[in-house]
Amino acid sequence: MKEIAFDTIVDQVRNACIEANCIIAEDVAQAIHQALDNEESPVGRKILQEILDNHKVARETKLPLCQDTGTAVFLVEIGQDVCITGGLLEDAINEGVRQGYAAGFLRNSMVSNPLNRKNTGDNTPAVIHYGLVPGERLKILFCPKGGGSENMSALAMLRPGDGVEGVLRFVVNTVKKAGSHPCPPVIVGVGIGGTFEKCAVMAKKALTRPVGSPNTKLELAHLEVSFLNEINKLGIGPMGLGGRVTALAVHIETFPCHIASLPVAVNINCHAARHKEILL
């Protein structure tokens, strides 16, 4: 049995909150550089270069990449042989968020009630998705999610007869309707199958793969390329001002579903695609 102290988790989450919001991940930076090479629109190229310049300034000054420092979303994999000592894992994560957002001077964006809109003042509570895995490993993936991209999410309960073409239409139309709101070029996460809630979580988890990494299943990898090509034909372009590069990647995840169902969810990341992994 591996023991992990409450305070260790707090410290790691605190640091992750600051780093994810101020330092762009290498896979994202490479994808933006590739987009700059592929973009033909002069305005689009200028925007992509400004995005790269913003990465540099944020890294050097330790200032946030974006004023919207997001909902604190965590994807947690906890080994069945891990024991958290000194407190609850959820409490440790929330305390880390509380400290990290204060120390990093990050914007507090959470309201305690979706109807009365009173700010919680410390960007908690975090949204945490748990998975139990074998072994003695604790993996915590922090993915701050801005409102501009999250608001463009969509879910549809398609009919089985709609098939791949129906899924494609829904995904492309979702990106088309989103337009400039999620700050393109975007990364598009797609969850297909499962149930109403399962496909939504899959779409979000799909965004945690390295940008542009193909699905390990060849059929899905081909679909990702096909969907990406169709999305980039929309001409929305960087920041919605036109161009070839509307999306950097499409990531698809699937799960078995009921014979009468074909649930599909789309979750969109902005061009920053912020994330930071903690392994304990």
Side-chain angles (χ1 to χ4, degrees):
M1 180 69 69
K2 180 177 183 178
E3 294 186 352
I4 301 175
F6 180 95
D7 289 343
T8 298
I9 297 169
V10 171
D11 290 344
Q12 291 287 326
V13 169
R14 176 188 183 277
N15 294 337
C17 288
I18 298 171
E19 186 169 336
N21 273 295
C22 299
I23 302 175
I24 205 72
E26 186 60 32
D27 62 312
V28 180
Q30 289 178 358
I32 297 293
H33 278 289
Q34 185 64 49
L36 183 59
D37 291 339
N38 294 335
E39 184 55 74
E40 296 176 348
S41 162
V43 174
R45 289 181 56 81
K46 185 174 187 298
I47 290 169
L48 291 169
Q49 185 57 59
E50 287 176 349
I51 289 172
L52 291 171
D53 292 343
N54 184 59
H55 292 177
K56 183 174 184 291
V57 172
R59 182 175 62 253
E60 292 176 350
T61 62
K62 296 296 176 65
L63 291 172
L65 291 151
C66 176
Q67 50 82 25
D68 185 349
T69 51
T71 299
V73 178
F74 291 86
L75 301 173
V76 177
E77 292 181 359
I78 182 167
Q80 63 182 3
D81 298 320
V82 170
C83 176
I84 310 301
T85 61
L88 298 176
L89 175 57
E90 185 166 334
D91 290 343
I93 290 173
N94 277 308
E95 182 58 28
V97 170
R98 190 174 292 112
Q99 293 184 17
Y101 273 70
F105 300 98
L106 308 176
R107 193 182 81 182
N108 298 319
S109 300
M110 295 299 287
V111 295
S112 59
N113 184 305
L115 300 179
N116 68 27
R117 314 303 293 178
K118 183 179 180 181
N119 200 295
T120 64
D122 58 11
N123 217 59
T124 66
V127 174
I128 309 171
H129 302 283
Y130 295 98
L132 185 64
V133 297
E136 297 183 334
R137 185 187 70 170
L138 175 62
K139 176 181 175 181
I140 302 174
L141 184 59
F142 172 55
C143 307
K145 197 67 163 61
S149 60
E150 187 71 359
N151 288 350
M152 297 300 105
S153 306
L155 189 150
M157 303 302 289
L158 301 182
R159 297 168 297 182
D162 292 326
V164 174
E165 288 302 317
V167 174
L168 174 61
R169 283 194 302 272
F170 174 66
V171 173
V172 173
N173 285 337
T174 297
V175 178
K176 183 178 181 180
K177 290 177 184 177
S180 64
H181 293 291
C183 297
V186 297
I187 299 95
V188 183
V190 182
I192 307 172
T195 54
F196 178 83
E197 79 283 1
K198 177 68 175 179
C199 67
V201 174
M202 281 196 299
K204 181 144 288 180
K205 286 185 176 180
L207 293 174
T208 66
R209 284 164 40 194
V211 178
S213 60
N215 193 293
T216 55
K217 297 178 180 176
L218 190 59
E219 177 186 9
L220 295 180
H222 287 321
L223 280 183
E224 290 172 341
V225 173
S226 175
F227 282 30
L228 179 62
N229 289 339
E230 291 302 313
I231 287 170
N232 282 334
K233 288 178 183 178
L234 293 172
I236 295 170
M239 298 305 289
L241 295 176
R244 290 186 60 187
V245 186
T246 296
L248 300 173
V250 174
H251 295 169
I252 299 174
E253 298 295 331
T254 64
F255 194 84
C257 64
H258 192 279
I259 56 173
S261 300
L262 181 54
V264 183
V266 177
N267 196 223
I268 297 174
N269 250 347
C270 70
H271 59 76
R274 297 165 294 184
H275 60 276
K276 179 64 179 178
E277 184 178 287
I278 301 166
L279 284 176
L280 295 171

